[in-house]
Amino acid sequence: MTAGPAFTCVLDARAKLGEGPVWSVDEQALYWVDIKGRALNRFDPATGANRAMALPEEIGCVAPRKGGGFIAGLRSGLWQLDGEGRPVTCLAANPEGQGASRFNDGKTDPAGRYLAGTLDEPKAGGKAHLYRYDRHGLAVLAGGLLTSNGLAFSPDGRTLYHADTPTFTVRRYRYDPATGAISDGEVFFRLEPKDGDRGRPDGAAVDAQGCYWSALYEGGRVARFSPDGGLLSEHPVPARCPTMVAFGGPDLRTLYVTTASAGRPADELERLPQSGGLFAMTVEVPGLPVPPFDPAA
């Protein structure tokens, strides 16, 4: 394992719970969410401008939609949003109810289906799930989870990575791009809980070499793992709680990471005042373009 270059702040957003970054190739802009701030954001790296679009409830994840607008995971369910971030149609209600569950991490698969998981807020019952949404509706892919996270696909689209953050574990599955079915789940890597400074695996992305980049929540770093699960490098983030990474830029060689500030101790925020910001660094190996959600998939 090597120590890699560090991230620098490109937007001092002071988000409560920044999450869900996704790069729009067509717009050359980064969309991201502030879950606790109830906002969908659009960051333009060419100008440094960020536009926040308010939502009526917490938004956990988002993806551009083929034909315009977005698909988004809100507390109440999966929604179609218009181009200004306004809810248009509820595509699928949250099957777990809204009292102690909300949609969290999400990502489109190679065919344009949308995978999204929920968060069991009490962290006691393992009641969260990972779902697939397509033209047939909502289907359960995995259950018994605490916080569904870390979704990413291998370059050939035949391996799905998925984290359950409080268990310190990332699993991988055989993925069928033709049907969206998963099988043969196994542990990809697991961090040791006793090593608190290493953090817990949160949101993720895969690069063109098939390496898995994981934001380590409460670890203050992003880690890159080889396709066999070996730790290759770690990259410091000037925030204790990085939440999710995404590749962007014209050549997909800019790695962005969102961070959180809500609920953090005062001394930590004094020491790391850009917590809740958007950070970036240049990488040698480019990422993979994320396809838009396709309602016909």
Side-chain angles (χ1 to χ4, degrees), residues 83-98:
E84 298 299 316
R86 294 178 292 245
V88 176
T89 304
C90 183
L91 304 173
N94 183 350
E96 299 156 25
Q98 303 177 39

Side-chain angles (χ1 to χ4, degrees), residues 229-264:
L231 179 60
L232 297 176
S233 60
E234 293 185 328
H235 306 264
V237 180
R240 177 73 169 163
C241 296
T243 55
M244 186 175 176
V245 292
F247 290 94
D251 55 3
L252 295 179
R253 282 187 164 89
T254 300
L255 185 64
Y256 292 98
V257 62
T258 47
T259 63
S261 65
R264 306 309 304 166

Side-chain angles (χ1 to χ4, degrees), residues 198-272:
R198 291 189 60 79
R200 306 187 294 278
D202 203 324
V206 168
D207 65 29
Q209 289 183 347
C211 294
Y212 182 89
W213 294 77
S214 176
L216 301 181
Y217 190 84
E218 289 192 328
R221 59 175 68 85
V222 169
R224 184 180 187 234
F225 294 86
S226 68
D228 64 5
L231 179 60
L232 297 176
S233 60
E234 293 185 328
H235 306 264
V237 180
R240 177 73 169 163
C241 296
T243 55
M244 186 175 176
V245 292
F247 290 94
D251 55 3
L252 295 179
R253 282 187 164 89
T254 300
L255 185 64
Y256 292 98
V257 62
T258 47
T259 63
S261 65
R264 306 309 304 166
D267 61 337
E268 177 184 307
L269 296 178
E270 183 176 355
R271 180 169 46 88
L272 300 167

Side-chain angles (χ1 to χ4, degrees), residues 4 7 38-39 119 229 247 272 275 290:
F7 285 82
R38 298 185 174 187
L119 177 150
F247 290 94
L272 300 167
S275 296
V290 178

